[in-house]
């Protein structure tokens, strides 16, 4: 069996341990901290890219932010999210093949630990710029890595392509986004993953009973390695806010 945290089983285990349909560190605490300072009055239409099982999209809806659309490449997660949160619109969609005009005019596009998982981040950022109105916001919570160093090899392909903070402003600008603020959340990520590891321990019987002992060994091993890489500075965390410029980035 192939173990992957971004698989439906991986996301289901995370949702159980996190007590909500979240596959990002810090759950609701992270969402609350990430939206701090956003001009809420100018935001009515929101796009959640890489929405997973839909918990974050439904959080924004419940908190009265406006009309939320969630997209994800994973059909099973979208099916689950559509059934669980019928008041949010969900659609299976690879962000890198979002057609021009398919989605447009969004006031806020947000991604909670999703950009790192996209194979072509520059393309994804361009497509998202196309989906935003000029002056609309991009909010990213994601993993980072020190410039020029590969992601920690022990995490395998699952860790994808964490952001290089040093080149982020240029990457955003090439896609038509102006960086407004970036805050290092590395120490917060360490604390949130320590907490998650304790939650796995508490849910051990359920994880083993529902998914089997190999899944338990996999999640505790992978997240243990992730926590250590964060602690040693070989990986970090960040929250980023950018604004859609009038121009759209060239392909
Ligand atoms: C770590 S999960 C985060 C899920 C969600 N944002 C949350 O916080 O619960 C990353 C998500 O990105 C999705 N994803 C990966 N590649 C994608 C792509 N090319 N287009 C859209 N979604 C993608 C995965 O299926 C997965 O649900």
């Amino acid at each position: 069996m192939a173990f992957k945290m971004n698989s439906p089983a991986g996301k289901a285990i995370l949702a159980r341990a996190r007590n909500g349909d979240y596959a990002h560190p810090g759950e609701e605490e992270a969402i609350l901290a990430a939206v701090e300072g956003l001009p809420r009055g100018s935001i009515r239409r929101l796009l959640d890219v890489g929405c997973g099982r839909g918990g974050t999209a439904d959080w924004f809806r419940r908190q009265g932010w406006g009309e939320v659309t969630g997209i994800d490449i994973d059909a099973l997660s979208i099916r689950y999210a559509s059934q669980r949160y019928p008041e949010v619109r969900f659609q299976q969609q690879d962000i890198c093949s979002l057609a021009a005009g398919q989605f447009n005019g969004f006031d806020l596009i947000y991604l909670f630990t999703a950009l790192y998982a996209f194979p072509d981040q520059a393309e994804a950022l361009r497509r998202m710029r196309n989906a935003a109105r000029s002056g609309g916001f991009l909010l990213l919570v994601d993993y980072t890595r020190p410039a020029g160093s590969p992601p920690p090899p022990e995490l395998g392909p699952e860790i994808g392509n964490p952001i290089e903070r040093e080149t982020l402003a240029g990457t955003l600008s090439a896609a038509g986004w102006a960086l407004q603020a970036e805050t290092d959340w590395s120490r917060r990520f360490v604390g949130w993953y320590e907490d998650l590891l304790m939650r796995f321990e508490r849910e051990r019987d359920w994880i083993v009973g529902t998914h089997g002992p190999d899944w338990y060994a996999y999640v505790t091993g992978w997240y243990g390695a992730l926590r250590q890489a964060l602690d040693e500075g070989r990986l970090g965390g960040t929250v980023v806010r950018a604004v859609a410029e009038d121009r759209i980035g060239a392909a």
Side-chain angles (χ1 to χ4, degrees):
M1 188 198 297
F3 295 101
K4 280 182 160 195
M5 288 319 303
N6 268 340
S7 66
K11 280 183 263 190
I13 293 172
L14 283 177
R16 172 81 182 202
R18 288 183 159 135
N19 199 22
D21 286 317
Y22 303 116
H24 64 255
E27 302 91 36
E28 296 182 1
E29 185 188 330
I31 310 175
L32 268 172
V35 299
E36 221 171 84
L38 274 175
R40 191 170 167 161
S42 69
I43 295 170
R44 286 301 305 154
R45 294 186 62 227
L46 299 86
L47 181 64
D48 183 329
V49 177
C51 63
R53 290 163 60 98
T56 307
D58 194 60
W59 184 92
F60 276 95
R61 183 199 64 77
R62 280 198 323 273
Q63 302 294 321
W65 279 75
E67 180 196 303
V68 189
T69 301
I71 62 173
D72 199 287
I73 198 169
D74 172 18
L76 278 178
S77 291
I78 288 296
R79 195 179 319 149
Y80 169 91
S82 306
Q83 283 167 3
R84 178 80 179 80
Y85 306 111
E87 289 174 74
V88 177
R89 175 183 169 216
F90 291 103
Q91 184 171 316
Q92 185 199 3
Q93 176 69 49
D94 176 353
I95 185 61
C96 292
S97 60
L98 193 72
Q102 194 180 351
F103 288 112
N104 50 50
F106 282 94
D107 303 308
L108 171 64
I109 299 181
Y110 64 83
L111 299 90
F112 281 81
T113 55
L115 191 72
Y116 80 97
F118 303 163
D120 188 344
Q121 295 177 348
E123 185 58 28
L125 288 167
R126 266 195 299 276
R127 304 265 174 163
M128 291 191 275
R129 169 62 194 90
N130 266 314
R133 67 163 167 83
S134 290
F137 292 94
L138 176 73
L139 181 66
L140 295 171
V141 170
D142 222 316
Y143 301 106
T144 61
R145 61 180 154 135
S149 43
E154 67 276 21
L155 294 171
E158 280 258 63
I159 195 58
N161 189 14
I163 294 171
E164 279 190 19
R165 298 172 68 194
E166 294 76 358
T167 54
L168 178 65
T171 310
L172 286 170
S173 170
W177 294 103
L179 177 64
Q180 262 200 338
E182 192 266 338
T183 309
D184 186 350
W185 271 12
S186 301
R187 294 319 301 174
R188 281 189 155 178
F189 270 41
V190 173
W192 285 330
Y193 280 113
E194 267 162 18
D195 182 50
L196 181 65
L197 286 163
M198 286 189 290
R199 289 163 181 242
F200 285 145
E201 228 173 275
R202 285 203 293 271
E203 293 293 342
R204 184 192 176 112
D205 290 349
W206 179 86
I207 298 171
V208 171
T210 311
H211 297 280
D214 292 348
W215 261 109
Y216 183 77
Y218 179 74
V219 295
T220 49
W222 198 83
Y223 281 101
L226 178 67
R227 196 266 323 265
Q228 190 163 342
L230 284 162
D231 209 23
E232 292 168 359
R234 292 181 293 122
L235 208 57
T238 188
V239 59
V240 176
R241 197 165 98 183
V243 181
E245 295 174 344
D246 287 337
R247 68 187 178 82
I248 288 181

